Amino acid sequence: MSRLIVISNRVSAPQGSQSGAQGGLAVALSAALREHRGLWFGWSGEVTDQFSGHINFQRAHGVTTATMDLEEQDVDEYYNGYANRTLWPLFHYRIDLAEYERGFAGGYQRVNERFADTVRPLLEPDDIVWIQDYHLLPLGDELRKRRCINRIGFFLHIPWPPRRLLSTLPEAVDLVTTMFAYDVVGFHTEEWLESFRDFVVHEMGAVCDGDHIRFGDRTIRAIACPIGIDAEEFAALACTPRARLTYRRMRDSSVGRDLIVGVDRLDYSKGLEERFLGYERFLNEHPEERKEVFLLQIAPPSRGSVDTYKKIRTTLEGLAGRINGAFADLDWVPIRYVNQGYARDELAGVYRAARIGLVTPLRDGMNLVAKEYVAAQDPEDPGVLILSRFAGASAQLPEALLVNPYSPEEIADAIVTALRMPRAERIDRWRSMMDNVQREDVVWWRRRFTDTLMEIDQPEDAGSTAAA
């Protein structure tokens, strides 16, 4: 049986299923690795004075991890720079926030080379290599330059931008060319996949034949493969003692009011400002509902060293203060705004207590919070999911109340609809969504991708795509 080697930007030691506040990708990859003997390689999150390539191995909860440290300059140029100030805003359609600096691009390339140099000696000939996300787009090409003949796949966890937007990146063609070193490239939705095809055909002259795309002497398979959660495990979390305690805390603190919950990283792509404005519109237009509800927004900080994220926090704190100042009463505050993360079992209890899950990103590759909210519900009395039509999850969960997050009116109207929705309709909508969450779960996602990768004939030799 071949090993599965997962490579991602960050690696953290997997935590028990009922503890920790790991993000959706970390939880999904840990679940996949427990299913398949393997190794998870990446950056430790730590900084060293001089890069040495030293690898720290650990094993926890059935998963072996291998991590390396980076230099401060690497972090500034590769992570804070190119990944999060160039690619992240561009791929989320925010070219107004994207910064194109040669130093960022150079640092990004250098760190991908360091990833390749460090992980290459760990690879055995039959290993399946699965590289994750936008931080490591050229890593497959760097491995090929080091005579790696393994089957190598790449999965993008964020949207792929339209051709005209991606063309604003100075090195766009060169960067996308390196992706033809992979055997399989995966996206969450058909929309992102079609945007990728459009770019490689019209900007690079590639030829598409179904799932196969040929460019030069390389042919890759490009597929839509939406990520899922461990649905059964998360549903079980909602029934654990800690989740039940959290559920009771939320119900006791709500004093009979309906809870609306949002859980998001503090990021401009999550539409938090627009969400607050939509909620404010609801309060303005429906005074009879004001004291019947409250919004709990959990937004742990992320990328605090990037100026854009500092501005988001300041903006949201100002908005929350303004809304609370305008509408609060002695016995009621309309928004509880919390800047910290919580363990997954606690979140499961919060989700189960919430009458409405408000998931309204401006653009999102998938959004696993939406699926976790569904999985945590009481089958006899489920809440209602309000979901942005621009989240990848909307393609799988059409029974949610789909909204345009840029429209305060649509958000306000959806909140009213959700509050007034009869139990029978809530159950019907939830059952359809839960069926999808259970059917297309994290194991389904992993098998769909790795099975496709295993179908590829392993070449005797493979080189760089640089001459393609």
Side-chain angles (χ1 to χ4, degrees):
M1 181 177 178
S2 300
R3 289 194 309 169
L4 176 65
I5 308 299
V6 172
I7 307 176
S8 62
N9 169 58
R10 285 293 301 275
V11 176
S12 58
Q15 300 164 346
S17 62
Q18 296 183 19
S19 65
Q22 290 179 290
L25 175 59
V27 172
L29 291 180
S30 296
L33 285 166
R34 290 187 189 99
E35 287 276 325
H36 210 293
R37 182 176 66 94
L39 176 73
W40 185 6
F41 176 86
W43 174 38
S44 64
E46 300 296 326
V47 174
T48 183
D49 291 337
Q50 184 172 359
F51 178 77
S52 66
H54 172 75
I55 302 173
N56 179 39
F57 292 94
Q58 292 185 353
R59 185 167 179 81
H61 300 283
V63 176
T64 300
T65 60
T67 59
M68 65 179 188
D69 300 339
L70 294 177
E71 296 177 10
E72 185 173 350
Q73 183 180 358
D74 292 336
V75 177
D76 288 343
E77 295 176 349
Y78 150 79
Y79 182 71
N80 292 330
Y82 200 78
N84 290 318
R85 290 163 65 179
T86 302
L87 294 183
W88 179 270
L90 173 60
F91 279 45
H92 286 86
Y93 299 32
R94 293 298 304 271
I95 59 172
D96 58 313
L97 298 178
E99 301 178 33
Y100 303 142
E101 298 283 348
R102 289 180 182 175
F104 292 170
Y108 181 79
Q109 179 62 32
R110 179 179 68 252
V111 171
N112 271 269
E113 292 170 2
R114 288 180 167 179
F115 265 77
D117 287 337
T118 307
V119 76
R120 179 65 183 93
L122 304 181
L123 300 181
E124 300 172 4
D126 291 335
D127 289 343
I128 301 170
V129 181
W130 192 5
I131 297 169
Q132 309 289 328
D133 225 358
Y134 64 104
H135 311 84
L136 303 173
L137 284 163
L139 180 54
D141 191 55
E142 292 303 320
L143 288 173
R144 296 298 188 204
K145 290 176 182 177
R146 290 153 179 79
R147 317 312 299 175
C148 179
I149 64 172
N150 301 68
R151 298 178 181 90
I152 308 178
F154 174 85
F155 191 87
L156 184 69
H157 291 266
I158 63 175
W160 185 271
R163 171 163 55 102
R164 295 302 184 191
L165 293 187
L166 184 57
S167 295
T168 65
L169 182 69
E171 56 277 353
V173 170
D174 290 340
L175 187 62
V176 177
T177 295
T178 67
M179 296 176 68
F180 281 83
Y182 295 110
D183 297 298
V184 178
V185 175
F187 304 87
H188 282 306
T189 70
E190 289 290 342
E191 180 182 354
W192 314 144
L193 172 56
E194 184 53 39
S195 293
F196 176 77
R197 287 197 193 106
D198 184 54
F199 184 88
V200 299
V201 169
H202 291 96
E203 298 293 330
M204 297 168 56
V207 177
C208 292
D209 181 11
D211 287 347
H212 295 83
I213 304 177
R214 187 176 72 255
F215 177 64
D217 60 356
R218 286 288 299 170
T219 298
I220 62 173
R221 286 193 65 180
I223 63 173
C225 182
I227 193 173
I229 63 171
D230 189 335
E232 298 303 327
E233 181 245 12
F234 203 86
L237 271 185
C239 300
T240 58
R242 196 173 180 190
R244 290 179 181 274
L245 177 61
T246 305
Y247 173 89
R248 287 197 299 270
R249 285 179 58 197
M250 295 309 304
R251 286 301 176 96
D252 290 346
S253 70
S254 67
V255 197
R257 297 183 175 99
D258 287 318
L259 164 62
I260 304 171
V261 69
V263 179
D264 311 82
R265 282 189 307 103
L266 197 57
D267 189 284
Y268 50 80
S269 70
K270 302 301 181 181
L272 297 179
E273 181 178 351
E274 290 77 7
R275 183 179 308 170
F276 280 16
L277 294 174
Y279 181 61
E280 182 181 36
R281 179 65 64 93
F282 160 77
L283 296 175
N284 265 319
E285 295 185 349
H286 299 278
E288 76 283 358
E289 298 281 5
R290 285 178 189 169
K291 290 193 175 182
E292 302 302 316
V293 302
F294 69 96
L295 170 62
L296 170 63
Q297 178 60 59
I298 298 173
S302 67
R303 303 165 187 162
S305 60
V306 179
D307 287 342
T308 308
Y309 292 86
K310 297 176 184 176
K311 294 176 183 177
I312 298 166
R313 183 166 185 169
T314 300
T315 298
L316 290 177
E317 287 171 352
L319 265 178
R322 188 188 81 194
I323 293 169
N324 283 338
F327 296 100
D329 206 340
L330 293 175
D331 60 347
W332 173 69
V333 177
I335 296 180
R336 299 181 191 176
Y337 176 50
V338 183
N339 280 133
Q340 67 179 66
Y342 291 89
R344 297 177 65 239
D345 49 357
E346 290 180 289
L347 288 177
V350 173
Y351 294 147
R352 197 175 184 93
R355 178 66 179 273
I356 298 173
L358 198 51
V359 183
T360 55
L362 303 181
R363 190 69 58 173
D364 218 337
M366 174 50 57
N367 197 291
L368 296 180
V369 166
K371 297 186 177 186
E372 290 176 346
Y373 177 80
V374 170
Q377 295 307 298
D378 178 357
E380 301 300 320
D381 189 21
V384 179
L385 175 63
I386 297 176
L387 179 61
S388 166
R389 62 179 70 254
F390 303 130
S394 66
Q396 293 175 289
L397 306 175
E399 297 82 9
L401 296 181
L402 300 181
V403 297
N404 176 357
Y406 293 95
S407 169
E409 292 91 347
E410 284 198 26
I411 294 174
D413 290 348
I415 292 173
V416 174
T417 299
L419 290 173
R420 299 176 182 176
M421 187 179 293
R423 178 182 292 194
E425 183 179 351
R426 285 190 279 120
I427 292 174
D428 286 346
R429 287 174 178 267
W430 172 81
R431 183 68 265 171
S432 296
M433 290 189 289
M434 188 61 176
D435 285 346
N436 179 276
V437 170
Q438 290 175 314
R439 181 176 63 254
E440 297 181 357
D441 65 358
V442 66
V443 175
W444 174 89
W445 169 71
R446 188 268 295 168
R447 286 177 178 164
R448 172 163 163 70
F449 191 94
T450 56
D451 286 355
T452 302
L453 193 52
M454 284 296 293
E455 292 172 3
I456 305 297
D457 292 332
Q458 187 171 8
E460 293 183 4
D461 195 9
S464 168
T465 60

